Amino acid sequence: MREVATLLLAGLCFGASQQIVVRELVSLLYGEEVVLLIVSAAALAAASLGYQLGGRLSPCALARLLLACGALLLLSPALPRFAVAGLCLLRGDSGPELLLVLAVLTFAAAAPFTAIVPALLDRHDEPADRLAALRRGYTAELLGFGLGSAAALALGSAPGLRFAVLAAALVGLVHAALGRPLVTVACTIAAAIACATHLPLSRLGADLVYRHKHQIAGAEVVWSVDSPYQRVEVVTAPGRGRMLYLDGLRDLDDRDLGTLNHYLARTPASLVRPARALLVGNGTLSMVPELSAMSDHLTTVEIDAAVVDAGARFFTPGEPLARLANWRLVLADGKQFLAATDERFDLIAVDLPSPLTLGEAYLHTREFYALCRARLSPGGVLAVQLSGRLGAPTRTPARLVASLRAEFPAVVVVDSESAERAFAYASDALPFTLDALRAAAAPGERGLQLVTDEELARKIAGAAPLTLDDLDLVLRRGAERLRERYFEF
């Protein structure tokens, strides 16, 4: 029973620490697909190393490893945040040494817990006893891993409580594995101190990361939760206002919202006057008040409730939204919603992050745009923000325009200097003229280019549509950004 309890707690610590540490590492390194792959591979490597070490370390060495790694976890996430911010402050920028710091944390979150199974097996000499112990132990470890992972995911919006669960499991594991009352008492005191200081130290560490790694003077993290999909943070800074970050990547700041909403929602809605409109994304809900007033019925589809919560708290007051009778919010994946619904829309506006992960990239593919086209009413318009201004044919905006042109007969691109990005409107037949579109430019627009037909084809010449069979852009761009951040001096 003691073996089973030890391995159940080891699995619980392993599952909870993996969820917490992986999200922390992804956020610190910026959550692109390449980073997700590297962090996941590092976590698996650390777990495999633990299995290898378990049969080779003496009981005393294994106990020391467990206590040392447990201490590191009790200092997370404050310790890696202070380390990363300090290294960036010393260097003035990011560097490869950050990867070493984060590799140590990955090892601490996995290796000591997976080492316990082979260590306990070595106590049994008879093959039959070893097999029975393996069955019991591995089952207990898997059950604990599932419980720890589920608890960490469920408590992502309550980081203090989530950390307390991990700390309690660590103390329980030390007690079950070592059976030394004085060590248990010392670990309990250390865990209590860690829980009491966890939130203020973590917040200070997060502030320092944004000040020195992101180089935002005076940055302060006012909201940070881990959803099942990503870390959602709201950051404020003098002269910058509020900024929304997803897995450490800036999604938007409130200075962008006026111009972004103008070209993505206000302009097409004023020209189309939709009876039914659909917003895919726009978790800040900033387009909802105005677009609901310009349409008979508005639907917003957002996959992440944590982004919606941040939007209602910091970007769009929730109380006025609750009074909108012609608006509904659907928490779902955009592609699944469009595939399942029979509704038709006069306007579909797609407001999504850049395609930096495979999940996000699907919503920028030719296949997704074909699904949008199938849900448009006759004369309906799809509006897309292109994550930048038109440029090289290998870059995101040109690839997205190529995807749109592969599915829609009519595409026009609005390249806005004020918004510092381009937008595309696509339809079977656009229900407005270029003159009407030019007249709808944002107030104070510094430079607006309307590009369509032959000129657009010339500008994106050589750009390949982004498809489900060709998502090279995600990995290639992520690898470029990783190299630029950590390996170029």
Side-chain angles (χ1 to χ4, degrees), residues 252-271:
L252 57 85
D253 63 46
D254 53 12
R255 298 181 306 174
D256 298 334
L257 288 178
T259 312
L260 173 68
N261 292 347
H262 181 88
Y263 287 112
L264 194 54
R266 187 182 303 132
T267 293
S270 67
L271 298 172

Side-chain angles (χ1 to χ4, degrees), residues 133-489:
L134 176 61
R135 288 171 175 168
R136 290 193 308 269
Y138 196 55
T139 300
E141 185 186 44
L142 283 177
L143 179 60
F145 183 86
L147 291 173
S149 298
L153 285 171
L155 297 174
S157 60
L161 180 57
R162 181 181 61 178
F163 182 79
V165 170
L166 175 59
L170 283 169
V171 172
L173 175 60
V174 168
H175 179 71
L178 304 184
R180 298 178 183 175
L182 289 178
V183 175
T184 301
V185 170
C187 289
T188 302
I189 294 172
I193 294 172
C195 288
T197 58
H198 169 72
L199 286 179
L201 287 178
S202 295
R203 287 170 181 158
L204 177 58
D207 292 347
L208 293 175
V209 166
Y210 278 96
R211 291 172 190 176
H212 301 301
K213 189 170 194 293
H214 294 258
Q215 298 182 344
I216 303 174
E220 180 182 355
V221 179
V222 297
W223 176 259
S224 179
V225 299
D226 289 346
S227 78
Y229 306 100
Q230 58 202 342
R231 173 164 292 173
V232 181
E233 291 178 310
V234 178
V235 182
T236 65
R240 296 285 298 271
R242 292 172 176 155
M243 296 162 278
L244 178 66
Y245 278 79
L246 305 178
D247 272 345
L249 292 164
R250 189 174 77 89
D251 184 56
L252 57 85
D253 63 46
D254 53 12
R255 298 181 306 174
D256 298 334
L257 288 178
T259 312
L260 173 68
N261 292 347
H262 181 88
Y263 287 112
L264 194 54
R266 187 182 303 132
T267 293
S270 67
L271 298 172
V272 175
R273 287 296 173 182
R276 304 186 71 82
L278 173 67
L279 280 174
V280 179
N282 190 236
T284 61
L285 307 178
S286 56
M287 297 182 193
V288 170
E290 188 168 7
L291 194 51
S292 66
M294 302 176 72
S295 57
D296 296 338
H297 189 273
L298 173 63
T299 300
T300 297
V301 178
E302 166 61 51
I303 194 172
D304 196 342
V307 178
V308 173
D309 193 15
R313 288 172 181 265
F314 297 99
F315 295 96
T316 308
E319 187 176 341
L321 293 175
R323 295 196 295 265
L324 296 176
N326 67 333
W327 171 65
R328 64 168 175 158
L329 172 65
V330 179
L331 291 174
D333 180 81
K335 62 181 180 295
Q336 293 177 351
F337 173 83
L338 284 168
T341 187
D342 292 326
E343 294 182 73
R344 295 295 183 269
F345 302 94
D346 305 298
L347 173 63
I348 299 177
V350 178
D351 179 25
L352 299 166
S354 298
L356 296 174
T357 68
L358 294 177
E360 293 167 348
Y362 183 99
L363 302 178
H364 295 275
T365 61
R366 175 178 177 175
E367 289 84 354
F368 178 70
Y369 293 150
L371 188 56
C372 291
R373 184 185 181 190
R375 296 296 176 264
L376 284 173
S377 303
V381 174
L382 171 66
V384 179
Q385 68 100 350
L386 299 176
S387 302
R389 304 188 71 179
L390 278 182
T394 57
R395 295 299 183 179
T396 300
R399 297 285 302 272
L400 300 189
V401 172
S403 302
L404 287 167
R405 284 173 58 86
E407 291 299 327
F408 287 89
V411 177
V412 60
V413 170
V414 176
D415 201 336
S416 167
E417 183 178 333
S418 297
E420 297 180 344
R421 68 186 72 194
F423 305 83
Y425 306 132
S427 176
D428 287 340
L430 290 168
F432 48 78
T433 65
L434 294 185
D435 288 338
L437 187 55
R438 189 174 289 105
E445 173 64 62
R446 298 188 299 270
L448 188 70
Q449 297 181 43
L450 304 184
V451 191
T452 189
D453 299 332
E454 291 82 6
E455 183 184 2
L456 183 57
R458 186 170 61 254
K459 278 185 172 288
I460 66 165
L466 195 65
T467 70
L468 292 180
D469 295 327
D470 186 13
L471 293 177
D472 63 299
L473 176 69
V474 179
L475 298 178
R476 181 172 49 76
R477 185 64 182 132
E480 288 175 4
R481 291 158 72 101
L482 188 72
R483 184 179 66 251
E484 291 167 359
R485 290 184 185 121
Y486 303 111
F487 297 102
E488 289 187 359
F489 305 96

